[in-house]
Amino acid sequence: MLRNYFVIGQLALSVGSSGMNFYIGNNPYADGAYGKMYFRAVSNPAEQAESFRQEAIRILKRDLSYSESSDYWYKQSFDFIKNKPIKWIKLLFRKFLLFWNSFEIRMNYDYYFIKHKFPLLKIAFVNFSIIAPLCIIGLIFSITQFSRKNMLLFFYVFSYVLALILFFVTSEYRYPVIWSLIIFASYGLYCFYEKVKRRENIKLAIAISGLFFFTYLTSIRYYHSDFAHNLRNFASKFYEKGHTEEAIQHYLEAIRLKPEKPDTYYDLGTIYL
C-alpha cells in the first residue's frame, strides 16, 4: 500500500493492473493468452495500466483513479461471464490446456525469436515439451498414493494452475511453478523405472500409452511464433535508445515479413517525421 501511495498517490492494495489483467483473460474476444484489445492498448507494462484507465475514462466520460479503472474492467469481465457462461467455461478449459502446452506463449518478447538471435539457447535440451507429459504421468501416479507427504505439493500446483487460468496464460507466468512440476516429472520417471524393475508389463504398457497421449496433447500448436511482432518490439527499443538506423532496419524487416500490419508502418513513419 505504501509503495502504491508513493507511486500513484493512492493507499490501495493494487493499482489498475488487476482488473486490467483479469479483463485481458476474460472478455468476449479472449483466447486464453495475452491478447490485443479492441482499443489501442500499449504493450509496455509501465504504460499499459494508464492506457486501460484512459479507455475507461473515455467510456464513462469522467475522471477515474487507477483503482476505479480496475473496478470498471472487473465489472466488464464479470458481465461477460454472466452473459456467456458456456463460452467462459470453454475459455477456462482452453487456458487449462494452454498451461500444459509445450509452446512457450509470449507476452512481450518471443522465446523462439530470442533463441534465433542467440543460438546458445538452442543447446537447452530439457524443455517444457519433456517436463509436461512426464509431470502429468507423475501426478496420476501420485494421486494413487496420495498422502500428507505430497498433499502440500499437490495443493500448490492445483492452486497455482487455478489462479493462472482465471487470468491468462503466458510462459513466463509458468516459471514460479516449474520447480514443483519437475518434481512430479522426476517421480513419473521413477515410476517407469519401478514398473520395468518389477516387470509389471501391463501397467508399464498403459503408462507408456499415457505418456504418448499426453505428449501429443501437450504438443498441439495453438499459436505460432510471430517474428514480425518481435522485430517491431526490438525496433521500438532501438529507437528509444537513440539507435535510429538499427530501428529502421528492424521495422523494414518486420514489414517484409508481415506487410499487412499497419502499426509497423505507423511506427516507422514517426521516425521519419
Side-chain angles (χ1 to χ4, degrees):
M1 291 178 68
L2 288 175
R3 179 264 180 195
N4 291 337
Y5 177 77
F6 286 111
V7 174
I8 64 169
Q10 290 181 251
L11 283 172
L13 290 174
S14 64
V15 291
S17 58
S18 59
M20 172 192 75
N21 286 328
F22 192 71
Y23 181 79
I24 290 173
N26 300 276
N27 69 76
Y29 310 102
D31 64 358
Y34 178 81
K36 289 186 176 181
M37 295 295 97
Y38 67 88
F39 61 97
R40 189 177 176 84
V42 297
S43 58
N44 184 345
E47 302 173 2
Q48 193 174 52
E50 176 61 18
S51 66
F52 271 79
R53 188 176 77 93
Q54 290 300 326
E55 176 62 12
I57 290 172
R58 185 190 68 81
I59 294 172
L60 297 178
K61 295 181 172 56
R62 63 182 177 87
D63 193 28
L64 298 171
S65 67
Y66 283 98
S67 295
E68 290 171 330
S69 171
S70 182
D71 292 342
Y72 170 80
W73 293 112
Y74 268 124
K75 183 180 183 303
Q76 296 303 303
S77 299
F78 288 128
D79 285 346
F80 159 67
I81 294 169
K82 179 182 177 180
N83 296 327
K84 302 285 184 179
I86 302 301
K87 185 175 182 178
W88 181 66
I89 291 172
K90 290 180 179 179
L91 179 61
L92 280 182
F93 182 68
R94 177 182 170 89
K95 286 190 275 190
F96 178 77
L97 293 178
L98 289 177
F99 176 86
W100 295 103
N101 195 264
S102 61
F103 185 78
E104 301 288 350
I105 303 173
R106 68 169 179 83
M107 189 167 180
N108 288 312
Y109 291 102
D110 191 331
Y111 166 74
Y112 303 101
F113 178 77
I114 301 298
K115 187 167 70 171
H116 175 74
K117 286 281 188 180
F118 303 99
L120 186 64
L121 291 173
K122 295 179 181 179
I123 66 174
F125 58 91
V126 177
N127 53 44
F128 204 70
S129 64
I130 297 173
I131 295 172
L134 282 172
C135 174
I136 297 172
I137 292 294
L139 283 167
I140 293 172
F141 279 126
S142 298
I143 290 172
T144 62
Q145 301 175 23
F146 189 80
S147 67
R148 290 184 178 180
K149 293 181 179 179
N150 56 23
M151 182 174 63
L152 184 60
L153 199 57
F154 264 113
F155 177 76
Y156 174 69
V157 172
F158 172 79
S159 59
Y160 190 91
V161 173
L162 178 62
L164 186 58
I165 66 175
L166 284 175
F167 287 81
F168 57 88
V169 179
T170 68
S171 59
E172 65 186 82
Y173 288 171
R174 290 193 300 210
Y175 295 160
V177 79
I178 285 292
W179 66 271
S180 57
L181 301 185
I182 291 174
I183 291 175
F184 281 112
S186 301
Y187 183 67
L189 280 175
Y190 171 76
C191 290
F192 276 109
Y193 167 75
E194 283 292 302
K195 297 294 180 286
V196 172
K197 182 180 177 181
R198 296 175 184 176
R199 297 184 179 180
E200 298 175 346
N201 296 330
I202 295 178
K203 291 183 178 180
L204 179 63
I206 294 173
I208 292 174
S209 299
L211 182 63
F212 276 112
F213 172 74
F214 291 125
T215 300
Y216 166 76
L217 191 65
T218 57
S219 64
I220 297 173
R221 282 293 182 97
Y222 296 94
Y223 303 99
H224 295 278
S225 187
D226 187 353
F227 275 26
H229 175 86
N230 290 278
L231 284 164
R232 184 182 166 211
N233 278 343
F234 265 71
S236 175
K237 291 300 179 183
F238 275 124
Y239 186 60
E240 287 177 10
K241 298 296 183 181
H243 303 293
T244 306
E245 288 302 319
E246 290 87 345
I248 292 173
Q249 290 174 12
H250 279 73
Y251 278 130
L252 291 175
E253 179 64 14
I255 290 171
R256 186 186 68 81
L257 292 177
K258 283 198 171 181
E260 71 277 10
K261 292 286 186 179
D263 288 349
T264 311
Y265 292 97
Y266 175 85
D267 291 343
L268 179 60
T270 60
I271 294 179
Y272 291 115
L273 289 177

